Amino acid sequence: MISETLFDDGVRKWVFFGRDPERPGHIIDTNEYLVAHDGKGTLLDPGGIEVFPAVVTAVSSATDLNVVESMLASHQDPDIISSLSLWSKLIPDLKVYCSRIWSDFLSHFEFDVNFVLVPDEGGPLPLNGSTDLQIVPAHYCHSSGNFSVHDPRAKILFSGDIGAALLPDTHQDIKVKNFDDHIRFMEGFHRRWMPSMDAKSRWVERVSALDVDLMCPQHGAIFEGEDVGRFLQWFDELEVASAIQV
């Protein structure tokens, strides 16, 4: 699994984990992100059970596991959060931030953690005394209880499944190199999995007002610089939620 530091100013640090070449072929590739502030961190979408060993190894190689004190589940999908039963055995008193509507469902994964229920309007994601990380509403993109995370200090937006791309295993770049070519890896996913034109437009309007240099999805490659704006325009204009004939 590749790990790469995306931002580090000596206090705030973002680390990317992904592109696991050893994962089983039937398992979708996922990206995990560690955000640390002054030596304590939160893991965004820690991943599923199948990739747990690879994620733990990658995180341990980048930092001491004791740094991780909390996690955020952008929504309820198993590729995002089914590993929590294993994480909870490694990290005592683990806090898990999630939408208020999902805690009773996530509990079926059988783990003992402290849920912090996030209201629909979002709010701060506290991290070792810092309160500038913001949980941003992204409901119905694609989940009915869904969040992004914005870091104004690092100018990074964690976008969850928004911006996701299903890349071939031969694709090892962690950042988008050619936006026009990249569309073919994400268009089908967004047309099928984003169920609301109105919700999509609301999210685009909301994040367009934020200062973002890197947009980091949970699948695929990271958007950097002008490609962030290109994605927002493309997504805003994309027709989604249309009936599919089967």
Side-chain angles (χ1 to χ4, degrees):
M1 177 171 278
I2 296 172
S3 66
E4 183 166 324
T5 299
L6 303 176
F7 177 85
D8 188 353
D9 66 359
V11 177
R12 178 69 52 77
K13 185 175 183 177
W14 279 74
V15 185
F16 160 92
F17 306 99
R19 300 289 190 282
D20 182 8
E22 298 181 1
R23 78 185 192 284
H26 62 283
I27 299 295
I28 190 171
D29 199 23
T30 57
N31 302 329
E32 289 75 36
Y33 300 90
L34 175 70
V35 189
H37 183 85
D38 200 19
K40 289 295 181 181
T42 187
L43 199 58
L44 306 181
D45 286 359
I49 291 173
E50 288 275 8
V51 301
F52 173 76
V55 175
V56 169
T57 300
V59 173
S60 299
S61 297
T63 188
D64 192 312
L65 278 180
N66 291 330
V67 165
V68 181
E69 62 180 9
S70 64
M71 296 182 177
L72 177 130
S74 62
H75 58 292
Q76 81 291 354
D77 283 355
D79 63 314
I80 283 169
I81 208 70
S82 64
S83 63
L84 269 185
S85 61
L86 302 174
W87 281 109
S88 67
K89 293 177 174 62
L90 285 181
I91 303 173
D93 302 319
L94 179 66
K95 291 181 180 179
V96 177
Y97 291 81
C98 70
S99 167
R100 64 176 183 82
I101 72 171
W102 288 127
S103 64
D104 291 345
F105 295 86
L106 294 180
S107 296
H108 281 273
F109 286 131
E110 296 186 4
F111 47 76
D112 183 19
V113 299
N114 301 315
F115 279 116
V116 181
L117 304 184
V118 181
D120 285 345
E121 61 270 22
L125 177 59
L127 183 57
N128 199 21
S130 170
T131 58
D132 59 337
L133 283 168
Q134 291 296 311
I135 302 173
V136 179
H139 307 307
Y140 298 101
C141 294
H142 63 96
S143 169
S144 53
N146 197 64
F147 291 107
S148 304
V149 175
H150 180 239
D151 183 346
R153 180 173 184 146
K155 299 182 181 180
I156 291 176
L157 177 73
F158 167 70
S159 57
D161 275 341
I162 305 171
L166 306 180
L167 298 174
D169 289 340
T170 54
H171 194 296
Q172 292 299 305
D173 293 329
I174 74 163
K175 294 179 181 177
V176 174
K177 299 298 184 183
N178 183 318
F179 182 83
D180 291 336
D181 184 62
H182 191 70
I183 289 173
R184 63 193 172 107
F185 299 118
M186 61 181 179
E187 184 170 9
F189 175 86
H190 285 78
R191 287 190 185 277
R192 181 68 187 255
W193 288 96
M194 300 294 160
S196 169
M197 290 288 288
D198 181 60
K200 171 178 68 75
S201 295
R202 286 175 182 268
W203 182 86
V204 169
E205 181 179 7
R206 184 175 290 118
V207 302
S208 293
L210 304 177
D211 195 0
V212 179
D213 284 344
L214 295 176
M215 191 184 100
C216 301
Q218 200 243 345
H219 304 282
I222 293 168
F223 300 86
E224 182 176 30
E226 293 181 355
D227 282 339
V228 175
R230 290 189 183 101
F231 174 80
L232 294 177
Q233 181 178 355
W234 173 83
F235 189 40
D236 195 34
E237 295 172 354
L238 184 69
E239 182 182 358
V240 302
S242 57
I244 296 176
Q245 300 296 322
V246 295

